[in-house]
Amino acid sequence: MEGTYAQSGNARKDAQSAMTPSTCAPDAELQLMEPRSALAHRKLQPATLYNIDAWDRELRKHNLAHHFLKILEGFCRGFIINFPSIMHVQSPANKDSVTTYIDELHKTITKELGKGCYIGPLSLNSITKLIGPFQSSPLSIIPKPDRPGKYRLVQNFSFPHSTNPRTPNPSINSYTNAHDFPTTWGTFAIIYLLLSCLPPGSELATRDVAEAYRTIPLHPSQWPANVVRISETHGCIDTCLAFGASPSLGVYRHVADTGSEIMRHHGIGPLDKWVDDHVFARIRHKFIAAYNELRKQWQSEITSPEPQRRGARILFSGRTRDDDVTEEFNEDCSQLIRDLTRSSPRSAHDALFSYSFEDLDTLSESLSIPWEKTKDQPFSYSTTYIGFLWDLRDYCVSLSPSKTTKYLKAIHAWHKRPAHTLQDVKELYGKLLHACAALLRGRAYLTGLEAMLKTNAAKPLMPHRADKRVANDNDWWTDQLQSRNVQRPISPPNQPVDLLAFSDASSKIGIGIKIDISWAEAIAFELLVYAIDSILAEDRSRSVIAFGDNTGVVEGWRNGRHRNPQVNEVFKRIHLFIAESPRIDQIHTRYIPSGNNPADPLSRGIYSHPHLFLPPVPVPIQTQPFIVDAAAPPNPTELRLRREGVYPSPAAKILDRAQITLEAEERREAAATEDCAGSYSGSTLSNFTAGLHAWHLLHGLPWNINPEELWAILEGASHLAPASSKRALREPFHMNTLELFHSLMDLNDPRDAAIFACLTIVFYCVARLGEFTVPAIKQFDPSKHITRVHVTHLHDLSGLPVTKFRIPWTKMSPTGEDAQCVPLNGAITDPIQALEHHLHLNPADKSTHLFAWKHHISGLRPLSKTEVTKRIISLITAHNLPNIRGHSLRIGGTLHYLLWGILFDVVKTIGRWAGDSFTVYLCQHAMILAPYLNETPALLEHFTRYTMPPVR
């Protein structure tokens, strides 16, 4: 075996012949001279690729040497990782996989000898003579997942799990503690915060360090515990950090922390890393100043200039937000982003950003950081990092396709086995817990596996059967993974709304049964969420604070699940409701003592005046047998309980529900309108009141509110309307706006092609954007929304081509309307050409939404109004364009035809206005249209006469 490899460990070379064993002592001593010389050389010059002098210069230049002193010492002398002194030789056999992949073992040994990391091969007796008693850990070779033909050599430094006569020495890892080597962790939460606050148009890239652990040299005192056995009689002395030793992760991360900090001091960033995987973000240089102000704010909010330590992790803590989440960072944010565009030649695209790969390469080459260039993900709007796809164009983070496939296979393999060991449970639980970072409500579907973790811990090697709860949860996970629904939006922290919303439950107020108070508290919390949803406006989604006095429910909701199965089922319903609600983004729970909880008396039947009651909320069908409506007459069960004298008190005495009169209801409605004054616009309150009036008429109830009083309330409310209730004036779209969008959008991208086609057609049809899009991708209805079968190409009486779009349902015509436009041959904004290009990139059957586009993960998606608006905002923000939105298309289309001399009544027909509604529309938008019409006096005069009210 000794003759198979070169022995010096200094440079790779082929052995010419096998060495002849000799029993002569002088010969044996001669055989040890070369490895002894190699060991002496390695002690003086540790095996590392890094340019130690360059690291020293950088650390001193940026005044970082005192923070990272151990890094320089480790590079020069080797790192001490607290391996034990070995008193007795112990060299257990390797695992069977080494025999299976023996060729891979030979390749690895040859490579490590060539790099100077291994010294050998040597007989085990020779190793003892050179370094004294040693201990090797069993080797195994495992294929690398998702990389066919690639393998990883792993040393089981945790062997043996317990000592015995054959292996009396404890494992190497039993002497070490990962907490002795703390470092930063690029957690999902840290990366999410970092990326959510990037300016528009930013880009991401990722890079991996090649064989990261093997670049870290070990101190000679650590070598005896790091010997590699390569056969029954021979081994190698490993002088570098190995995969499997518990301190390895922290030691390498500390080196990576140092490199990252040097990069930040060069103005490169923002950046972060997870072990050897680095993510780099770059921003457009026009946003550098504004982004640096944010970094300064973060720096001022960081509570301590020195990092905090939590076990094996170090971090910087920022402010605690109103949602009770403390922001965390892997840096102190003191280093600002610099504009490095002039540091070296670069492409026109790279010149738009703060730095490029060329800047990163220049610094990396000086430090000799060995990037694995084959794994580079160049700068783009999206990248895959820590198992997730981060998309800055769609502002969405999702489980990567490879992880999705892997997790589905894991669930499928689970179902194939009738019973499962503790290790089986840990593996599946770890995968699905990882996915929960992108699917927050997934935590409520892991409680079955969490229960198995506890039951299997007593007998970890004995397979246990999973209960039905685990099977149901796994089915739910399968649905989510198959539908590519493991995703969440990337959005910066928003201020949660405090509506002073409280919930409580009492174990004494029930329907004659004994109930778990945690379950009752969870039901109260659920009904509170429904009530919050009913009073929020639909214009945007909000984060809301909800108070409760049950710590189990408050803390359980923060964790996303509850140990109690019944409470957890309630949480699942709430998660689903929030996911489908357009008004609620998140619910943040806060604890309040019972004595301070305004809902506490309500839970015991002590009610306020009926006019203060919240609107009725839906009661889940699962809880309807246990809940009665406090505002409804007593039901038969309640009457029977009263007769039997067992009806819970004091509810029946304090609130006589049968006496709630219509007069109180009507007063409540008027009071509600008064309470809303100053918070909403006059038109919103008028619509709200009209809806109440219609409800009364529909149900045959009298409407006894004084008309003059109601008029006065609404008139006063309109004067008190806050400025925030009125939208800023929308600038109209123009043809040159569409032409600019054409140059800025990537029309080879399926989404951009669909959006541009939609914009042009809506513009030239003078339509509403909502008529050609869907409100949400899950709400597509072919009977209401336009599909590809609804497009018809015709010719008019003059033989000119016309394209007709049949809109199945509009807010003005439930039976549908027709919109039409004509091709503009040769024009950049030709709507028919844009449509054909979109249909070519996004082919689908006729029943598909007209502007459905191919998402790179979930496949065909109906085009939502939100998607279009989001893209418009990203373009106008990135290029400092006027304030235009979806409705700007209808305004702009109207203006376009008027400026082209089309008669007002013809434009009215194109836009499908009925009666006087077109005149009203022009009056409403006169302030927007008039400046453009001033350039055509005759048209302005016609516009004035058309919109002038008739003489009375």
Side-chain angles (χ1 to χ4, degrees):
M1 190 70 180
E2 291 191 36
T4 308
Y5 311 95
Q7 283 197 343
S8 69
N10 295 328
R12 181 176 178 178
K13 59 185 179 180
D14 294 328
Q16 300 298 318
S17 61
M19 297 180 62
T20 303
S22 172
T23 57
C24 176
D27 287 346
E29 189 62 30
L30 285 173
Q31 291 178 14
L32 292 177
M33 286 182 62
E34 187 174 357
R36 184 175 283 120
S37 174
L39 287 171
H41 174 76
R42 187 58 64 237
K43 289 179 182 179
L44 296 174
Q45 186 175 336
T48 182
L49 299 174
Y50 296 115
N51 185 335
I52 301 174
D53 292 337
W55 285 72
D56 182 48
R57 285 195 303 271
E58 289 291 340
L59 292 177
R60 295 183 187 281
K61 173 184 175 182
H62 301 296
N63 197 28
L64 295 171
H66 62 291
H67 288 294
F68 301 105
L69 181 62
K70 290 184 178 180
I71 294 296
L72 293 175
E73 293 178 354
F75 282 157
C76 294
R77 300 182 178 86
F79 287 82
I80 297 175
I81 61 175
N82 296 348
F83 275 176
S85 299
I86 307 301
M87 306 306 295
H88 305 283
V89 174
Q90 181 168 294
S91 185
N94 294 325
K95 299 299 181 181
D96 293 340
S97 60
V98 172
T99 303
T100 303
Y101 301 109
I102 189 65
D103 291 341
E104 295 300 324
L105 176 65
H106 292 162
K107 290 178 184 178
T108 300
I109 294 171
T110 301
K111 181 178 67 175
E112 295 296 332
L113 288 170
K115 293 190 302 183
C117 296
Y118 281 4
I119 295 177
L122 299 161
S123 69
L124 301 183
N125 287 334
S126 297
I127 294 176
T128 305
K129 292 177 181 179
L130 289 169
I131 62 174
F134 68 89
Q135 181 170 333
S136 66
S137 300
L139 292 179
S140 60
I141 299 178
I142 58 174
K144 290 186 176 181
D146 305 322
R147 297 189 66 192
K150 299 293 183 179
Y151 301 85
R152 174 178 286 129
L153 184 71
V154 180
Q155 291 170 259
N156 185 4
F157 285 92
S158 297
F159 180 90
H161 296 291
S162 59
T163 58
N164 56 66
R166 295 183 61 184
T167 53
N169 294 353
S171 71
I172 301 299
N173 276 345
S174 66
Y175 290 94
T176 63
N177 188 344
H179 289 189
D180 294 335
F181 303 91
T183 181
T184 63
W185 294 9
T187 63
F188 182 94
I190 288 179
I191 301 300
Y192 184 90
L193 175 63
L194 186 72
L195 302 189
S196 69
C197 295
L198 291 174
S202 299
E203 292 188 340
L204 302 174
T206 56
R207 275 188 159 177
D208 289 3
V209 174
E211 299 182 340
Y213 289 3
R214 307 303 291 158
T215 65
I216 308 300
L218 290 181
H219 190 272
S221 64
Q222 311 297 289
W223 296 350
N226 206 39
V227 170
V228 176
R229 172 173 167 166
I230 61 176
S231 73
E232 292 183 2
T233 58
H234 286 72
C236 292
I237 301 171
D238 189 358
T239 65
C240 294
L241 204 62
F243 191 87
S246 61
S248 296
L249 183 64
V251 172
Y252 175 75
R253 276 179 169 169
H254 194 43
V255 174
D257 282 347
T258 311
S260 298
E261 199 59 30
I262 291 174
M263 293 176 190
R264 293 186 183 109
H265 276 72
H266 278 264
I268 294 174
L271 64 96
D272 217 306
K273 51 84 187 169
W274 178 268
V275 193
D276 57 340
D277 296 345
H278 293 64
V279 61
F280 298 92
R282 65 178 185 179
I283 63 179
R284 294 178 180 266
H285 53 70
K286 63 182 179 180
F287 294 123
I288 289 178
Y291 186 72
N292 280 337
E293 289 301 317
L294 174 63
R295 289 183 63 82
K296 290 177 183 178
Q297 178 183 334
W298 281 343
Q299 183 191 14
S300 68
E301 293 170 347
I302 289 175
T303 55
S304 171
E306 296 298 323
Q308 300 178 8
R309 180 167 172 175
R310 296 180 188 171
R313 182 185 174 200
I314 57 175
L315 70 152
F316 294 87
S317 293
R319 67 181 178 118
T320 299
R321 304 194 301 253
D322 287 343
D323 58 4
D324 295 328
V325 173
T326 300
E327 295 179 342
E328 297 179 349
F329 305 89
N330 281 338
E331 53 164 321
D332 62 6
C333 300
S334 62
Q335 300 306 307
L336 302 181
I337 306 303
R338 300 179 190 173
D339 185 355
L340 303 179
T341 52
R342 298 181 180 178
S343 61
S344 63
R346 62 201 62 217
S347 69
H349 181 71
D350 283 344
L352 299 173
F353 297 90
S354 54
Y355 70 99
S356 67
F357 261 177
E358 285 75 13
D359 303 305
L360 188 58
D361 286 339
T362 299
L363 179 58
S364 300
E365 288 168 4
S366 70
L367 298 172
S368 298
I369 297 177
W371 298 115
E372 182 62 79
K373 294 295 184 71
T374 59
K375 293 185 180 180
D376 276 2
Q377 296 184 64
F379 279 109
S380 175
Y381 63 85
S382 67
T383 195
T384 300
Y385 181 68
I386 57 174
F388 296 97
L389 179 63
W390 303 83
D391 191 326
L392 295 185
R393 187 172 63 179
D394 290 342
Y395 293 97
C396 175
V397 55
S398 57
L399 193 66
S400 69
S402 61
K403 291 290 185 185
T404 299
T405 301
K406 181 179 180 180
Y407 294 178
L408 280 169
K409 289 181 178 178
I411 295 175
H412 181 67
W414 172 279
H415 286 311
K416 281 187 173 182
R417 295 189 294 269
H420 312 276
T421 65
L422 178 62
Q423 185 61 30
D424 295 335
V425 181
K426 285 182 176 180
E427 289 179 359
L428 182 59
Y429 177 74
K431 291 178 174 64
L432 299 182
L433 183 62
H434 175 254
C436 287
L439 188 63
L440 299 178
R441 57 195 177 108
R443 289 300 302 272
Y445 296 85
L446 291 180
T447 54
L449 288 174
E450 289 172 345
M452 284 193 73
L453 288 173
K454 293 182 179 180
T455 57
N456 287 29
K459 297 181 179 180
L461 301 180
M462 177 181 291
H464 291 68
R465 290 185 176 276
D467 61 23
K468 188 175 181 180
R469 181 172 37 153
V470 175
N472 292 338
D473 287 349
N474 284 348
D475 288 344
W476 182 87
W477 274 107
T478 299
D479 290 342
Q480 302 304 311
L481 292 166
Q482 287 179 339
S483 62
R484 299 296 194 266
N485 196 35
V486 183
Q487 60 181 0
R488 62 185 286 196
I490 299 176
S491 56
N494 56 7
Q495 184 80 4
V497 179
D498 186 357
L499 299 175
L500 299 179
F502 303 84
S503 69
D504 195 15
S506 170
S507 59
K508 293 182 179 180
I509 305 300
I511 312 297
I513 63 171
K514 183 177 180 180
I515 58 175
D516 183 342
I517 189 60
S518 295
W519 176 82
E521 294 277 3
I523 294 298
F525 173 49
E526 180 180 18
L527 297 178
L528 178 63
V529 172
Y530 296 159
I532 290 171
D533 183 79
S534 69
I535 63 176
L536 287 176
E538 295 190 21
D539 58 339
R540 62 187 176 93
S541 182
R542 296 172 174 84
S543 295
V544 183
I545 298 172
F547 294 87
D549 57 16
N550 184 277
T551 55
V553 173
V554 171
E555 296 296 334
W557 180 256
R558 289 179 180 176
N559 294 327
R561 83 278 191 257
H562 200 281
R563 292 191 303 270
N564 183 306
Q566 288 74 34
V567 175
N568 199 61
E569 289 301 314
V570 177
F571 280 9
K572 288 179 181 179
R573 290 200 301 269
I574 302 174
H575 280 305
L576 180 60
F577 180 80
I578 292 174
E580 296 178 347
S581 170
R583 289 170 286 273
I584 300 178
D585 178 34
Q586 292 184 58
I587 293 289
H588 303 285
T589 54
R590 281 191 186 172
Y591 175 77
I592 183 172
S594 295
N596 299 333
N597 188 356
D600 181 69
L602 301 179
S603 71
R604 292 181 284 109
I606 304 175
Y607 302 102
S608 305
H609 193 278
H611 83 271
L612 297 176
F613 285 1
L614 290 169
V617 296
V619 177
I621 190 171
Q622 298 91 334
T623 59
Q624 287 178 2
F626 313 110
I627 297 177
V628 296
D629 185 353
N635 60 36
T637 302
E638 292 179 275
L639 294 173
R640 178 178 58 82
L641 293 174
R642 283 184 176 182
R643 290 194 303 270
E644 296 173 357
V646 293
Y647 190 81
S649 61
K653 298 178 181 179
I654 296 179
L655 177 65
D656 188 352
R657 294 178 304 201
Q659 300 302 316
I660 299 177
T661 63
L662 286 174
E663 179 182 353
E665 284 290 313
E666 291 151 0
R667 180 57 205 156
R668 181 175 66 150
E669 289 150 5
T673 306
E674 294 174 4
D675 292 340
C676 292
S679 300
Y680 300 93
S681 67
S683 61
T684 298
L685 294 179
S686 179
N687 291 337
F688 167 72
T689 306
L692 287 176
H693 190 186
W695 185 89
H696 281 72
L697 295 176
L698 181 65
H699 291 82
L701 299 175
W703 178 257
N704 295 328
I705 296 180
N706 188 300
E708 294 181 357
E709 179 185 354
L710 181 59
W711 179 87
I713 293 173
L714 293 175
E715 185 69 14
S718 65
H719 291 294
L720 295 175
S724 60
S725 70
K726 301 176 181 178
R727 292 181 177 177
L729 294 178
R730 306 299 194 206
E731 288 290 325
F733 261 88
H734 302 283
M735 278 187 62
N736 57 7
T737 309
L738 292 173
E739 291 172 353
L740 178 61
F741 275 30
H742 181 277
S743 66
L744 297 176
M745 300 172 77
D746 179 7
L747 296 185
N748 291 320
D749 176 79
R751 187 190 67 153
D752 271 5
I755 291 176
F756 184 73
C758 180
L759 293 177
T760 57
I761 289 172
V762 171
F763 177 84
Y764 287 110
C765 288
V766 194
R768 303 173 184 88
L769 180 58
E771 293 174 338
F772 281 85
T773 57
V774 297
I777 58 176
K778 292 184 179 180
Q779 296 180 12
F780 170 62
D781 182 354
S783 66
K784 296 181 65 175
H785 302 125
I786 190 168
T787 67
R788 303 187 179 193
V789 78
H790 292 125
V791 180
T792 308
H793 300 286
L794 307 170
H795 289 81
D796 64 10
L797 296 177
S798 302
L800 298 176
V802 177
T803 300
K804 184 178 74 171
F805 301 91
R806 179 63 182 174
I807 307 171
W809 182 94
T810 70
K811 68 178 184 179
M812 302 306 297
S813 176
T815 58
E817 293 182 285
D818 290 335
Q820 57 187 19
C821 62
V822 298
L824 304 175
N825 296 329
I828 292 177
T829 62
D830 182 351
I832 308 308
Q833 182 180 350
L835 176 63
E836 291 173 350
H837 177 68
H838 151 64
L839 296 177
H840 174 72
L841 279 184
N842 298 296
D845 59 58
K846 293 291 187 179
S847 62
T848 307
H849 183 251
L850 177 58
F851 296 109
W853 57 282
K854 289 190 297 187
H855 189 270
H856 54 281
I857 293 178
S858 57
L860 278 175
R861 280 186 174 181
L863 183 62
S864 67
K865 183 178 180 180
T866 302
E867 195 75 41
V868 178
T869 305
K870 186 169 64 176
R871 189 67 174 119
I872 293 173
I873 293 173
S874 69
L875 290 171
I876 67 173
T877 304
H879 300 281
N880 297 319
L881 300 177
N883 181 31
I884 52 179
R885 291 294 189 273
H887 192 66
S888 301
L889 291 162
R890 188 164 169 85
I891 305 172
T894 302
L895 179 62
H896 169 76
Y897 287 118
L898 291 178
L899 291 175
W900 274 87
I902 306 299
L903 297 177
F904 278 75
D905 286 341
V906 175
V907 177
K908 174 181 175 181
T909 302
I910 295 174
R912 294 169 284 120
W913 280 282
D916 296 330
S917 59
F918 184 53
T919 305
V920 174
Y921 184 85
L922 293 178
C923 292
Q924 290 174 338
H925 297 87
M927 292 182 63
I928 300 173
L929 297 173
Y932 299 98
L933 300 178
N934 275 330
E935 299 177 3
T936 311
L939 180 59
L940 179 61
E941 181 182 357
H942 192 186
F943 173 83
T944 305
R945 292 183 177 278
Y946 194 92
T947 57
M948 185 180 297
V951 179
R952 300 293 183 185

